[in-house]
Structures are given as C-alpha cells and as structure tokens.
Amino acid sequence: MIFGIEARDAGSRARAGVLRLAHGEVRTPAFVPLATKGAVRTLLPAEVAGLGYDMVLGNTVHLMLEPGPEVIADHGGLHGFMGWDGPIVTDSGGFQVFSMGHGTVADEVKGRGTTHGDGAILGIEEAGVSFRSYVDGDVRFLSPEGSMEVQAALRSDIALAFDECTPFHVSREYTETSTERTHRWLRRCLDWHAANGPEGQVVYGIVQGGVHEDLRRASAREVAGSGCAGIAIGGSLGEDKAQMHEVVGWATEELPEERPRHLLGIGDVDDLVRGVSLGIDTFDCAMPTRIARHGMALVPDPDSRWRINLLNVAYRDDRAPVLEGCPCPACAGGHSRAYLRHLVKQREPAGLRLLTLHNLTFVAGVMGRLRQAILDGRLAEESGALLSACSPR
C-alpha cells in the first residue's frame, strides 16, 4: 500500500495522508508543479524543493519528442536527467493528444481551437493514436504500451495510464465509446507494466466519462476495480466550476478510501479548496507558473480570481510588495510591484522567475493550510477563511 491516511475531516471527504513512493514521501493534500519538459519553468530543482514541494510532473509526449526517452534513460531516468531527487509523476500523453486536436480543455469548451501549432491528431483507433509531431512534422504513433514504455524509460515514480481526454463538445455516445476504450487501454497499460515496468514505479488509472453522471460513476468503479495503485480524474469536467465540482464529486464518491486520488489539470485556489473537501489528495496545473510568465501574481482576493495583473498601469509606481508578509524571494526580498512590472514588460528572466517563485509560494501556503486544518480538525473554518482571504501564515 503506497498511501497512508493520517486524519479525516468529519464534515467532508477530505483526508490528510502520506504517499510513499520510490523516491520519497509526498505529504497530502498536495499541489504538484509542472516540470513538463524536465524543468519547472525558470526555476532550479532545489528552488522548487525549497518552496516545500515534494513531487513534480513531467510529460510523456513532450519528453518523447525531445530529447527522446533514450537520452533520458542514459541519465538513469528523469530524476538524474533534471537533477530532482524527489518523486516524479509522468502524464501518459493522453491530454497532449487531446490538446493537439482541440486545444486545452478551456480552449475546447470555449471553441477556441488548437494551440499546438503544427501538431495534430491524425487518428484515434483501438491500437492507439497517430499524430503529427509539433517538433518536426513527422507522423508519430503512441499506444498504451508505447506510453508505458516511454514512462518506464523516464523511471517516474507514478506512471499514468494512457487515455483519451474526451472532448466536451461531443455526444454522449462518443463519450461512452471513448471511455470504454480508455478502460481497455488501462488494462493494456497494466498488463505491459506488470511484465516490463521498472521496479518501484506504480501506475494510476484515469477516470473519464465526461459530464454524464452514470458514465463518470461507472468509470470510477471500473478504474478502481482494475487494481491500479492510484486513481486520477481527468477529461473535460464541465463548462463551469459548479459543474466541475459536481463531476469530481461523483467520481470520488465511488472511489475506494485506501487509494490515492489525483485531479488532473486543476489548480485555481477555490478549486483546490473544494477539491480537497471532495477527497482529492493531489493536484497538478500549469496555472501558477503560466500566469507568472504573463505578469500575474497570486493574491488573497477572491473577487479578482486571486490574482493581479502587474502589467496594468496602476502598478507602474507601486512601491508595495506583491503581498505583505509573503515569504517568497520577490516579497521578502523587497522587490516592489513597480519593479516586477518593469521586469516583466522587458521580458527580463529575473521578473519571470520572481513571479513564479511568488505564485508557487502562495499555492504551497494554501495547501499547507488545508493539510494542517485537516490534521487539527478545523477544515471547514480554514476553507472558509481561504475562500474569503488567503493571507499568508
């Protein structure tokens, strides 16, 4: 058993626990920063660990295309290649295949189309997926077994099973067919891994089913019944937050208590708070690092979606730090909003780094407060405080 529960919240499905993996422990609930191509953007591994993060996420498709699994395997796996000593989870590539055809989940829901340039899905079949590489335009093929083989070369602690991230704007019939294929792909992933997987690596299955309650619940039961070590919840979760929380709730209500649960691609502050109460143990999302590169900083203001845009002219002469009392290098180092605005406008790497450090510090603080509140038996009080004003402690 890789997951131990330390405390449960009496008023919700929340729990605090510890994931015990080949490269160390992960204290949950936890946020997992993205190291998509082998690095958390602009930061060194030691800096990420210094912020309190126990695990990072690498991506199978991106690392398969460049530099290639053979190169990473020659370094002893992704840990040696990127110099990260702690646990690593690798996404299977299913989401990237989805985004080549539809853009991100938000893009697809809003009808904005693809975001991967020349990358494109050429065909989704029982055997796997054909797609055109955004790196060189070559046609590539990825199967469940191929995804597992790449993740074995990466030697991640957690390998996610290959799935189709079912689009939002499809029929119920398509969603059902896609979800059933994802279940068959899961069995193929587990069979390949049982015969060939590296020692110490565990596999998470992925719940699909779109926004249909019966399909989501059935998928959760099917994935749980496969015997995988942990369970992730993925796919298009709805067109708004209320629907997303409802869909996640359907899944977690069906999942076994003793196995860890991961929510894929979700990281807004309110979604972290609500997700923890629904029984999610770990989350990953590009949000904190992505918005930093666009000049946005996380702050305790729900009315502004917990962020300010430092590129706004209002901050041109603002001598205040991003957030008083924040221990991050940007705020504690005495850097003003005006200075950070200047750096970002000039695309100075120092500004992008400082805002990334701030945003990840902020998210780590939120997760730390939620975990401690579960341990102390006061999650409802802390959740209410977080959703009204997330001041650092």
Side-chain angles (χ1 to χ4, degrees):
M1 190 66 64
I2 66 168
F3 184 58
I5 297 175
E6 298 176 308
R8 292 178 174 85
D9 175 54
S12 71
R13 295 178 205 149
R15 64 267 191 94
V18 177
L19 261 174
R20 296 179 176 87
L21 300 167
H23 288 84
E25 295 185 344
V26 179
R27 298 157 291 178
T28 69
F31 183 82
V32 181
L34 299 194
T36 302
K37 298 180 180 181
V40 176
R41 288 282 185 92
T42 76
L43 302 186
L44 297 172
E47 292 175 312
V48 179
L51 297 178
Y53 291 100
D54 297 327
M55 182 162 66
V56 297
L57 181 146
N59 181 263
T60 295
V61 165
H62 291 301
L63 294 170
M64 176 184 78
L65 295 177
E66 184 66 40
E70 301 85 1
V71 172
I72 296 173
D74 285 345
H75 284 75
L78 192 52
H79 294 88
F81 189 61
M82 65 179 285
W84 173 264
D85 295 331
I88 297 175
V89 54
T90 43
D91 193 352
S92 66
F95 174 77
Q96 278 62 42
V97 167
F98 165 89
S99 63
M100 286 177 189
H102 304 280
T104 66
V105 173
D107 290 329
E108 193 267 326
V109 168
K110 297 175 182 178
R112 291 195 295 244
T114 78
T115 59
H116 271 300
D118 294 331
I121 300 173
L122 301 179
I124 302 175
E125 303 172 352
E126 189 66 28
V129 179
S130 299
F131 63 96
R132 191 174 301 281
S133 168
Y134 64 86
V135 173
D136 54 18
D138 288 348
V139 175
R140 305 293 291 267
F141 178 78
L142 190 61
S143 65
E145 295 82 3
S147 173
M148 286 292 103
E149 185 174 6
V150 173
Q151 292 183 81
L154 301 179
R155 300 192 69 85
S156 55
D157 297 71
I158 299 172
L160 294 183
F162 191 61
D163 68 323
E164 181 186 358
C165 185
T166 314
F168 179 75
H169 292 300
V170 294
S171 67
R172 176 194 163 86
E173 180 182 10
Y174 182 94
T175 301
E176 185 171 16
T177 298
S178 170
T179 301
E180 290 172 351
R181 181 169 54 230
T182 285
H183 296 160
R184 294 191 294 273
W185 284 355
L186 170 59
R187 289 190 286 273
R188 287 166 57 185
C189 287
L190 291 172
D191 287 346
W192 188 94
H193 197 270
N196 306 286
E199 183 179 357
Q201 187 182 67
V202 300
V203 178
Y204 278 27
I206 301 180
V207 175
Q208 291 290 345
V211 296
H212 307 283
E213 180 175 2
D214 59 333
L215 298 184
R216 275 286 171 180
R217 289 184 181 274
S219 182
R221 293 192 295 269
E222 177 74 19
V223 173
S226 72
C228 54
I231 300 163
I233 299 171
S236 295
L237 299 170
E239 61 182 347
D240 56 34
K241 288 179 180 289
Q243 188 174 36
M244 179 182 70
H245 300 157
E246 183 178 43
V247 170
V248 172
W250 294 336
T252 57
E253 193 169 29
E254 300 290 339
L255 296 179
E257 184 76 8
E258 72 278 3
R259 270 181 277 176
R261 306 157 181 169
H262 182 89
L263 186 56
L264 289 161
I266 301 299
D268 283 350
V269 172
D270 53 338
D271 296 331
L272 295 174
V273 173
R274 182 64 177 142
V276 166
S277 73
L278 290 169
I280 298 298
D281 303 302
T282 52
F283 305 77
D284 75 84
C285 189
M287 182 276 292
T289 52
R290 183 184 62 242
I291 69 170
R293 297 193 299 276
H294 294 280
M296 287 184 274
L298 293 171
V299 295
D301 184 1
D303 292 335
S304 66
R305 295 182 61 210
W306 289 278
R307 64 194 68 179
I308 57 173
N309 186 351
L310 291 176
L311 293 178
N312 288 344
V313 69
Y315 301 110
R316 185 170 65 89
D317 298 317
D318 194 333
R319 297 187 180 185
V322 170
L323 184 59
E324 291 285 355
C326 174
C328 82
C331 298
H335 302 299
S336 69
R337 294 176 176 184
Y339 177 62
L340 293 171
R341 178 181 186 274
H342 164 71
L343 293 180
V344 173
K345 279 181 67 67
Q346 301 305 316
R347 304 304 297 170
E348 284 287 347
L352 309 183
R353 275 177 43 79
L354 286 168
L355 283 183
T356 299
L357 286 163
H358 169 80
N359 287 350
L360 287 177
T361 297
F362 188 93
V363 173
V366 169
M367 299 311 296
R369 288 176 62 175
L370 289 170
R371 174 176 164 79
Q372 193 60 51
I374 298 170
L375 294 172
D376 295 343
R378 51 177 184 82
L379 180 64
E381 173 189 349
E382 192 66 25
S383 295
L386 284 164
L387 292 176
S388 60
C390 305
S391 56
R393 291 185 178 178

